Amino acid sequence: MITLGTAILGAVCGMLGSFAVLRKQSLLGDAISHAALPGIAIAFLITETKNSYAILIGALISGLIGTFWIRGMVSKTHLKSDTALGLVLSLFFGVGMLLLTYIQKQPNANQAGLDKYLFGQAATLLVSDVWLLAIVGVISLLVLAIFWKELKLLLFDPDYTKTLGFNIKFLDLLITTFIVLAIVLGLQTVGVVLMSAMLLAPAAAARQWTNRLWVMVVLAAIFGAFSGVFGTAISASTNGLSTGPVIVLVASFFVLVSFIFSPERGILFKQIRKYKNRKALKLFKTLSVMYEIAQTHNDVSRPHAIKILNNFLGYSVNTLKELEDQELIKIDGQMWSMTTEGYNKAAQLFNQNMETNE
């Protein structure tokens, strides 16, 4: 049941985190998770029990207040969004820690374990919690399906969305509320400190593999779900490992793999493409020099000494070998000559380069 709960949480966070990443609100998850801490403490002080629903409501209200404060500071003052996020994060987290310290000193045995919300404790997930996660996941899917076109427009062109008559404030509030809800639901499993990574890591990994929104959302949900499953399995198989941090580490592993091996944006394939481009440029330079030399003779296959090329940049033994393998030139000892195919290709490349420069 715990594995199912963490899988659902990962999928929901991945889906909604995609919108946070694309809206360049990566720090929003960190601010909201820390802003939820005072709500957790206040809910406990009011109810004097660790009732999960009461704590959830308190965290949700506190998280929403923190979100509205951030938006208010950005819109009403000259503060940048990152400054507002930092201020709200520090203020709410400080108040939350102060309240938790106060609660720990109270003669009430129920406060034991309340600090688990800082780093999470997946083992405390109940069947009712998993059902709640599932319900929120289904509702999130329905909302995304119903408002898909509007949310897609809002992501990439808010001004155009507004000119079409859509209420961008409502759409913004809608997606932000569900992001806050996903963060609050994950506090019990991952904790305040690490919840931001759970929201952003699957989405960041998915972004490396595609340029299409729906593909990114699906991939982020898959990465998030697998992070939950694998993280829970690793934690259960080894004594002393907290589930929340392990889940975040697995999600970070997906990000690392994506950053390195994704075909379009991956570091590995970028370096391969750079190497191929440099190699092609080197071949083109050498072939261009050969073409200019061959142009001065009626017979393009007339041999020339290789040492003539020493005066030109781009020439190397490997370059000549590659051109010979492509049957663009012929090498005979210390002499080279162009083939008809090589001459024609060089002429085509030379003319294209001239047109580009013009």
Side-chain angles (χ1 to χ4, degrees):
M1 187 57 67
I2 294 174
T3 303
L4 179 61
T6 54
I8 295 173
L9 174 64
V12 173
C13 287
M15 283 191 305
L16 298 175
S18 300
F19 291 89
V21 168
L22 292 175
R23 297 176 71 189
K24 299 180 180 179
Q25 294 179 335
S26 300
L27 287 176
L28 182 63
D30 207 19
I32 293 172
S33 61
H34 285 71
L37 190 59
I40 294 172
I42 293 172
F44 176 81
L45 288 172
I46 294 174
T47 61
E48 295 187 348
T49 61
K50 296 194 297 293
N51 182 283
S52 59
Y53 291 107
I55 289 177
L56 173 64
I57 293 173
L60 179 61
I61 293 173
S62 182
L64 287 173
I65 291 173
T67 304
F68 291 139
W69 276 25
I70 292 170
R71 296 188 177 281
M73 280 191 283
V74 172
S75 61
K76 303 297 182 182
T77 67
H78 295 290
L79 293 176
K80 300 290 185 180
S81 59
D82 57 342
T83 305
L85 287 167
L87 287 172
V88 169
L89 184 153
S90 303
L91 174 62
F92 276 69
F93 188 66
V95 172
M97 290 301 297
L98 184 65
L99 290 174
L100 284 181
T101 303
Y102 171 78
I103 290 171
Q104 294 299 324
K105 294 180 180 180
Q106 298 302 304
N108 185 348
N110 288 331
Q111 80 264 31
L114 196 62
D115 58 341
K116 297 297 182 183
Y117 281 94
L118 286 175
F119 297 101
Q121 190 175 35
T124 60
L125 281 177
L126 304 175
V127 175
S128 58
D129 298 324
V130 176
W131 273 108
L132 182 59
L133 285 169
I135 291 171
V136 171
V138 171
I139 294 174
S140 300
L141 276 175
L142 289 174
V143 169
L144 291 181
I146 294 171
F147 296 98
W148 180 257
K149 291 182 179 179
E150 292 84 349
L151 292 173
K152 189 175 180 180
L153 281 171
L154 180 66
L155 276 177
F156 301 108
D157 199 337
D159 294 331
Y160 181 61
T161 307
K162 189 174 182 179
T163 60
L164 292 177
F166 296 116
N167 190 335
I168 60 173
K169 289 185 177 180
F170 167 75
L171 294 172
D172 184 59
L173 178 62
L174 182 68
I175 194 63
T176 302
T177 300
F178 273 92
I179 290 174
V180 174
L181 185 57
I183 291 172
V184 169
L185 288 174
L187 293 180
Q188 184 177 352
T189 305
V190 182
V192 168
V193 177
L194 299 175
M195 188 57 217
S196 177
M198 190 64 186
L199 183 75
L200 301 176
R207 183 68 183 92
Q208 305 307 307
W209 296 92
T210 182
N211 290 319
R212 304 186 69 177
L213 179 60
W214 73 269
V215 178
M216 178 181 172
V217 171
V218 171
L219 283 177
I222 293 173
F223 287 146
F226 276 111
S227 298
V229 171
F230 292 149
T232 304
I234 294 171
S235 176
S237 63
T238 308
N239 292 328
L241 287 181
S242 299
T243 305
V246 177
I247 291 174
V248 170
L249 286 176
V250 174
S252 300
F253 173 75
F254 282 125
V255 175
L256 180 63
V257 171
S258 300
F259 280 173
I260 295 175
F261 296 106
S262 63
E264 292 296 327
R265 297 183 176 84
I267 297 173
L268 176 62
F269 286 95
K270 277 185 177 180
Q271 292 303 317
I272 292 174
R273 285 194 294 271
K274 285 182 179 179
Y275 170 76
K276 288 183 176 179
N277 289 337
R278 286 197 297 267
K279 186 177 179 180
L281 181 60
K282 199 172 184 180
L283 291 176
F284 171 69
K285 283 184 176 180
T286 304
L287 197 61
S288 295
V289 170
M290 291 177 163
Y291 172 72
E292 290 177 357
I293 295 173
Q295 269 188 316
T296 61
H297 303 83
N298 294 327
D299 184 6
V300 297
S301 63
R302 173 180 173 178
H304 299 274
I306 290 177
K307 64 181 182 180
I308 294 177
L309 300 174
N310 291 334
N311 298 325
F312 303 98
L313 296 177
Y315 154 72
S316 71
V317 175
N318 291 333
T319 305
L320 294 181
K321 183 66 171 60
E322 181 69 24
L323 291 172
E324 186 181 26
D325 291 341
Q326 296 182 22
E327 298 182 351
L328 300 177
I329 65 171
K330 291 180 180 180
I331 303 292
D332 185 11
Q334 293 299 311
M335 306 294 288
W336 65 266
S337 60
M338 297 191 76
T339 65
T340 303
E341 181 183 355
Y343 184 85
N344 292 335
K345 183 172 183 178
Q348 182 181 3
L349 293 173
F350 187 83
N351 292 331
Q352 287 178 353
N353 186 54
M354 293 294 292
E355 290 175 1
T356 303
N357 293 334
E358 290 176 0

